[in-house]
Amino acid sequence: MKNHNKPKNIENSNGLYILLEAVYWTYNIAYLPIKVRVMSLDYKLKKAKVEQGWIDIDRLYQTEAECPQR
């Protein structure tokens, strides 16, 4: 029988482990920093479901200072 258990977190290209229900910083279309909460993870596509929709996990940052801004 195969083990279908998935890991509870995933690492992005910044070396940050993305956890479910955690809050991270990202940027919107105008490169303004915003906070988002991770609701689910797609391990195959490396995407996180946040309140605003799906986002690439490489766009998640731990602090506002790490987040790219205009």
Side-chain angles (χ1 to χ4, degrees):
M1 215 171 163
K2 289 184 179 179
N3 185 359
H4 294 286
N5 293 336
K6 296 212 179 214
K8 296 196 185 317
N9 58 30
I10 188 170
E11 186 176 8
N12 71 4
S13 64
N14 303 321
L16 179 66
Y17 282 95
I18 308 302
L19 304 172
L20 289 174
E21 298 298 320
V23 175
Y24 296 98
W25 285 93
T26 191
Y27 50 91
N28 62 13
I29 195 163
Y31 279 87
L32 297 173
I34 58 171
K35 280 186 176 181
V36 294
R37 179 181 304 277
V38 174
M39 297 167 23
S40 67
L41 292 168
D42 185 322
Y43 300 92
K44 191 179 244 184
L45 298 176
K46 291 193 153 199
K47 300 237 180 226
K49 172 86 171 163
V50 297
E51 291 133 354
Q52 295 84 354
W54 288 94
I55 187 171
D56 187 38
I57 63 163
D58 292 332
R59 288 184 53 191
L60 297 173
Y61 301 90
Q62 183 115 31
T63 66
E64 183 179 4
E66 296 172 350
C67 188
Q69 300 176 34
R70 301 197 265 180

